[in-house]
Each structure stands twice: as structure tokens, then as C-alpha cells.
Amino acid sequence: MIKAWIFCVLICTVSASTFISPQQTALVIGFEKLYDISLLANTLSDQGIDSILIIPSTTEDIYEHLIEVEVITLNITNAKDAKKEEKALNACEALITNKKILKKIKEIQPTFTIFPALRHDGCLLPWTRYINSIPVIWAQGQEEEYYAIENLRMAIPIQTNNFLDRFWSHIQFRAVISHAENNYVTSALKLTSKHLNNLEKTSLDELYSDVELLLWDYDHILRSDFATLTQRFVEVGCHHCRGIQPLPTTLQKDLVEYRLGTIVVTLDKEHKEIMEQLANRLPQGRQGQAVAWKSKEVKLTDKKIENIFIHSNVDRQDLIGNPRSRVLLSHCADTEFLEAAYHGTPVICFPRNSEEKKNAARGIELGFSVSLNDNYSIDSIYQTVNLIHESSIYREAARRVSLAIRDRPVPASDRMVFWLSFIARNRENDINFSRLNKNVVIKTLAEDVQLLYGLVIGTAFGALFAATTALTWYYQSKSNKHLGRAKGKKFTR
Ligand SMILES: *[C@@H]1O[C@H](CO)[C@@H](O)[C@H](O)[C@H]1NC(C)=O
Ligand SMILES: *[C@@H]1O[C@H](CO)[C@@H](O)[C@H](O)[C@H]1NC(C)=O
Ligand SMILES: *[C@@H]1O[C@H](CO)[C@@H](O)[C@H](O)[C@H]1NC(C)=O
């Protein structure tokens, strides 16, 4: 018995160890969307992957509670009115010319380098080749999704709206892609070939063939604009979502004073006045309602309003998921919207762009949000907050969405870690997976049928048109001859 046990210890550990990868290190790089990319770095370190975050120093808006993530900041000075592409190129140059960072990275030998595709690819794909790390693309938001998919060919975009809208959004995305190519990619590739010696000159397309994994930071339940063609298109939306933790003591103490619960706000500072008005209108005192606003920028002017509390570094999802939270007032950017869905909190959206509008519409469709109908007056906001507070339908719907997102065989963070270590393990195997050749034009059967219809109808109309034209011409020339003869007579007379 003991022998068998010892035998197993030997054999089992040996066989298990073929699946255990050595300690992995992830380099996470982002020049934009710093809050969300720092959340990603934090999840990785949470999951036992050493993670290093490289970001431009210019902004402080990163996740407040990074644990065991080493942050390296680039020293950059951008012109005040610098465009996104300019900033990205500056950041690129600062990164690839920094000897100190390069030395450090060479020592660490990061297994993966994770970064967004849009306004990063032309710089970081050559650089990851240079430092010999596996590039992994992280895509968040519609533009980045489309851009990454256009280059990686790991999915087919699908559009279900009407022809005109389809056509219009196609044009918009093409514009984004060609804008990035013209204003960023070419210059970035030039920069890298100038500064990274010994690196062969290659096209962006060739560089993309290094990419083994696309991490999509969203969830199919909420939006899905494409059909995936490979398992390596991994859905990791809400990778950081977890059970809630207690609020900071001061905030907790303030909020429990109000029996009717909390309205959670994550809007930007332009909404200060209207939120003060809202707090003022809500029932006051012990039988009242509080407004809890997570913001680093907002400072109250009206000190007389007692039921509004601003906190700069409470963890956003602890506030959104708090049992006392009744409704979230948010711009409905992807991550916040996902957090509301995950924690089952009804939301009122204040969208700023087309993507947030799409999220807002989806929230309404799923029943956990109410539209303000573009009416952002205090009356309208107050009424909607009240409506959600007083009816249980919205909370019920939110609970269902929350269940749907949580009830999965593996949580998003595990899925991400699995696929990361999968590509690390199989790096030498050189497995070819279904990535479509860039020249392949993808057509569905429906499109073929439509084309056929078009041809048939087109031919029929064409034939009809030709026949009518020929007939008209024939009769006209016939009657012209008559006329001509008549005229001729007239003139000879
Ligand atoms: C950025 O500048 C500061 C001070 O000038 C310096 O201490 C720091 O090491 C620099 N960072 C990098 C990444 O070079
Ligand atoms: C906005 O909503 C309020 C309250 O429902 C209503 O009184 C007001 O007329 C609305 N404003 C507009 C421009 O529709
Ligand atoms: C993978 O595909 C590439 C081109 O598509 C080909 O050159 C290569 O030999 C393939 N590798 C294997 C292991 O099949």
C-alpha cells in the first residue's frame, strides 16, 4: 500500500509536471485606456502570473489597488493638442529607445507581451519579436475589436441591422482602419526599423502571424458582432469581477445611515450640478437615500447637501455590487457596464458615444436599464431613479443577467490564464490553427443566395429594359420616317 502510494507520488508528479508550466511573466503594455489595462495586469498577478505594466507617465488614472504589479512609467512629454497617433508614437519611441527598460526586460525574459492592436501594433509587434516574447492582443471596445479582427482574421464580423446601417458602420470601421494605417502604422514601423537593429524589415501582416491569442474584453451575452473561427479568440470580459469586499469604513458608516439604500454614480465631473440637485431631491435623513460617487476629480461646492458622498479610491465594483446599491448612474463604457451586469445592479446610462449608446440599448433590451430618452433634465433623472427603486422588475432582470454571466463552466480569468499558458506550452509545437488568409473573401450561403437573386432579377430587368428600349426605338424610328416623309412633302411643295 505504502509502496503503491510512493509509486504514485513519483509517477503522478512526473505526469502532472508535463502540464505544469514554469513560472510565467507577462508584460502588459498600454498607451491608452490605462485603467482597464491596469485591471488586466492586476488580474494576471492575482492569478499567479508575474506581471509588469508599462504605461506612459502622463496620467494617473490607473487601477487604485494594484497588487504585486510592477509599474514602469515612460517619460513622455506630449504637446497639449497632440492627437492619439502622435501620443502613441511618442510613447513608442520612449519605450524602444530606453536602454534601462530593455536591459531589465532582457533579464526578465517575459513569456507574453499583452497589448491592444489599434495604435500599438506597428510599434509593439516588432518590439516583441526583438525581445523574443509571444505577442498577445487585447481588444476592448468596438473599434479595437474590428481593427484586431481585420488584422488577425480570427472571426467574421456579423451585422444584423438594416442595409443602410450596415453600409454606414462598414464605412466607419474602414475609416478607423485606414486612418490608423496612414497616421500610425507606417511611422511606427519606420521608428522600429530605425531603433531596433538586426531586426529584419517586414510587413505588418507578416508580424501579425506571430500573434497566437486574442483576448476579447467583453461578453457575448451583451454584444457579439462576429462569429469566431478559432478557439484562440478568448472572451475575457469581466476577468477582474469577483465577490464584493467591504467598503472603506468611513464610506460604509456614511451610507448605512440611509435606510432606502444608495444611488451609485460613476459619471464624470461635468455632471456635478445635476447630481447635487438629485441628492437634494431624494428623501433625506434616516429614512432617506444616499448618493455615493466614485470620482477622483469631483469636489463638492454645496456643503449643505448631506446625503452625497464622494470617494476617490473605493473599488468600483465593491460599490456597484454592494447590497445597499439600488441603481448605478454610469456612462456605460464597456467595463462599467459589465460590472453592473455581473453584480446584478440596474443601471441608467448617460452614453457619450455610439459604443456606449449600443450598451445602453442592450441594457434596456435585457430589462435591467431604463432609457432617459435623451432627456437629461433633473426631473427625468429623478423620475427614472424612482421608477427603478420602486419596481422590482429591473432588479429581477439584473439578477437574471448576472446569473447568465456567472453560470459558466470556467470564469473569465481562468479561461484567460489557461489559454496563456497553453500558448506558452505549445510554442515549439507550431500548431497551425484556422486563421484565414488575408486574401480570402468570406461569404455566407445567405450572401450567395442574395447574389443569385440579384443576378436573376438583374437579368430579367435588363432583358425587359433592352426589349422596351428596342421596341420604343423601333416605333419611334418608324413614326419618324412617317414624319420625315410628311416633312419632306411639305418642303418640296
Ligand atoms: C523618468 O524620469 C525620472 C526622473 O527624471 C527617472 O527617475 C526615471 O527613472 C525615468 N524613467 C524611465 C523609465 O526612464
Ligand atoms: C424631460 O422629462 C421631464 C419629466 O418627465 C418632462 O417634464 C420634460 O418635458 C422632458 N423634456 C423634454 C425636452 O422632453
Ligand atoms: C503552417 O502553415 C504555414 C503556412 O500557412 C506553413 O508554411 C507551415 O508549414 C505550416 N506548419 C505546419 C506544422 O503545418
Side-chain angles (χ1 to χ4, degrees):
M1 185 65 195
I2 287 176
K3 256 190 198 162
W5 187 76
I6 290 172
F7 184 73
C8 178
V9 167
L10 281 176
I11 298 299
C12 300
T13 45
V14 167
S15 63
S17 72
T18 53
F19 288 102
I20 294 171
S21 324
Q23 181 58 35
Q24 287 154 352
T25 310
L27 191 59
V28 181
I29 308 181
F31 305 146
E32 298 166 21
K33 292 193 178 171
L34 302 191
Y35 196 88
D36 292 327
I37 200 139
S38 55
L39 272 178
L40 182 80
N42 195 57
T43 302
L44 292 171
S45 94
D46 229 20
Q47 299 288 326
I49 296 178
D50 290 344
S51 80
I52 300 168
L53 178 67
I54 300 185
I55 48 171
S57 58
T58 39
T59 135
E60 308 84 49
D61 192 21
I62 63 171
Y63 180 56
E64 304 83 10
H65 305 121
L66 288 177
I67 295 175
E68 292 182 4
V69 175
E70 186 182 347
V71 182
I72 299 177
T73 53
L74 302 167
N75 289 335
I76 309 167
T77 34
N78 285 318
K80 227 180 190 156
D81 53 350
K83 296 211 169 66
K84 283 177 177 172
E85 289 82 13
E86 261 173 82
K87 288 184 185 168
L89 287 170
N90 277 344
C92 174
E93 187 154 20
L95 172 68
I96 65 177
T97 55
N98 192 314
K99 297 260 162 29
K100 248 164 73 187
I101 295 182
L102 189 64
K103 184 160 169 279
K104 193 180 167 84
I105 298 300
K106 286 241 159 109
E107 280 164 20
I108 297 168
Q109 278 292 323
T111 329
F112 329 100
T113 304
I114 308 176
F115 52 88
L118 188 59
R119 289 185 291 273
H120 292 72
D121 53 1
C123 174
L124 296 177
L125 285 173
W127 194 69
T128 39
R129 202 174 253 201
Y130 186 69
I131 62 166
N132 193 22
S133 173
I134 309 174
V136 172
I137 297 291
W138 171 79
Q140 191 198 54
Q142 274 189 307
E143 280 187 1
E144 285 188 6
E145 265 162 49
Y146 271 86
Y147 186 79
I149 281 165
E150 170 77 14
N151 286 296
L152 283 168
R153 312 285 282 178
M154 286 186 178
I156 312 175
I158 291 179
Q159 302 225 336
T160 48
N161 42 15
N162 65 40
F163 178 75
L164 265 184
D165 288 344
R166 282 204 309 260
F167 189 69
W168 179 231
S169 52
H170 177 78
I171 288 184
Q172 280 176 317
F173 288 126
R174 293 287 350 154
V176 168
I177 289 165
S178 65
H179 189 80
E181 281 170 358
N182 298 336
N183 296 293
Y184 175 78
V185 173
T186 327
S187 317
L189 286 175
K190 256 191 213 146
L191 260 184
T192 51
S193 67
K194 183 174 150 202
H195 292 291
L196 308 178
N197 31 17
N198 307 333
L199 195 73
E200 268 178 58
K201 236 184 159 178
T202 41
S203 67
L204 190 67
D205 228 20
E206 222 282 301
L207 289 163
Y208 263 107
S209 67
D210 293 352
V211 179
E212 297 279 330
L213 197 62
L214 171 58
L215 302 176
W216 180 49
D217 207 341
Y218 205 67
D219 197 288
H220 266 114
I221 292 179
L222 303 174
R223 176 175 77 226
S224 179
D225 297 336
F226 24 70
T228 58
L229 298 171
T230 157
Q231 282 179 300
R232 298 174 188 215
F233 179 96
V234 182
E235 185 185 314
V236 299
C238 232
H239 52 78
H240 63 294
C241 296
R242 46 157 175 79
I244 54 153
Q245 287 165 1
L247 296 175
T249 353
T250 48
L251 186 62
Q252 172 71 12
K253 237 168 75 194
D254 287 336
L255 296 182
V256 291
E257 290 292 316
Y258 295 84
R259 291 248 173 96
L260 288 184
T262 309
I263 313 293
V264 179
V265 182
T266 57
L267 301 172
D268 52 26
K269 64 174 191 280
E270 279 72 41
H271 295 74
K272 190 184 79 173
E273 244 164 64
I274 203 130
M275 288 302 115
E276 284 179 338
Q277 286 173 16
L278 177 68
N280 223 349
R281 275 221 197 164
L282 293 169
Q284 308 285 322
R286 281 195 66 72
Q287 300 302 324
Q289 239 170 353
V291 172
W293 193 344
K294 158 144 195 197
S295 174
K296 288 183 180 130
E297 302 167 326
V298 178
K299 298 264 178 307
L300 287 183
T301 38
D302 191 346
K303 293 280 186 316
K304 272 179 281 176
I305 308 171
E306 286 178 350
N307 61 336
I308 185 163
F309 304 97
I310 291 168
H311 205 285
S312 61
N313 67 351
V314 52
D315 206 312
R316 196 171 58 200
Q317 61 173 327
D318 290 336
L319 196 52
I320 292 174
N322 192 279
R324 309 182 63 79
S325 301
R326 296 290 172 263
V327 56
L328 167 68
L329 309 190
S330 157
H331 292 297
C332 290
D334 284 359
T335 321
E336 272 176 51
F337 188 63
L338 271 175
E339 284 168 10
Y342 183 89
H343 289 285
T345 304
V347 52
I348 300 173
C349 294
F350 293 63
R352 293 166 294 192
N353 52 37
S354 66
E355 186 175 309
E356 292 174 353
K357 275 189 189 134
K358 236 178 162 177
N359 284 341
R362 187 64 180 144
I364 292 158
E365 197 181 337
L366 289 170
F368 74 109
S369 179
V370 177
S371 171
L372 287 173
N373 290 323
D374 289 332
N375 182 342
Y376 301 99
S377 65
I378 177 65
D379 289 335
S380 152
I381 296 171
Y382 177 71
Q383 279 169 15
T384 316
V385 165
N386 251 346
L387 175 72
I388 291 184
H389 179 65
E390 277 163 13
S391 154
S392 65
I393 320 169
Y394 305 103
R395 188 149 279 278
E396 240 336 280
R399 200 183 60 79
R400 282 198 301 273
V401 174
S402 163
L403 259 183
I405 289 188
R406 291 169 186 235
D407 196 0
R408 302 260 173 88
V410 242
S413 52
D414 289 4
R415 206 158 40 229
M416 174 158 75
V417 170
F418 169 81
W419 280 104
L420 283 173
S421 48
F422 178 91
I423 57 164
R425 279 198 301 271
N426 292 295
R427 196 179 184 185
E428 307 305 321
N429 280 1
D430 190 24
I431 300 172
N432 273 355
F433 62 96
S434 134
R435 190 209 307 271
L436 288 179
N437 191 315
K438 189 127 195 181
N439 306 322
V440 175
V441 178
I442 305 154
K443 286 269 181 252
T444 57
L445 180 63
E447 282 170 301
D448 288 342
V449 171
Q450 270 166 11
L451 182 69
L452 203 67
Y453 267 137
L455 281 179
V456 171
I457 293 176
T459 319
F461 268 104
L464 202 66
F465 181 71
T468 23
T469 319
L471 279 177
T472 324
W473 177 79
Y474 174 74
Y475 281 115
Q476 248 171 17
S477 62
K478 216 170 163 186
S479 55
N480 273 355
K481 259 186 212 157
H482 266 309
L483 262 175
R485 245 181 248 139
K487 270 182 195 160
K489 270 182 196 162
K490 211 173 173 184
F491 277 113
T492 47
R493 209 164 31 154

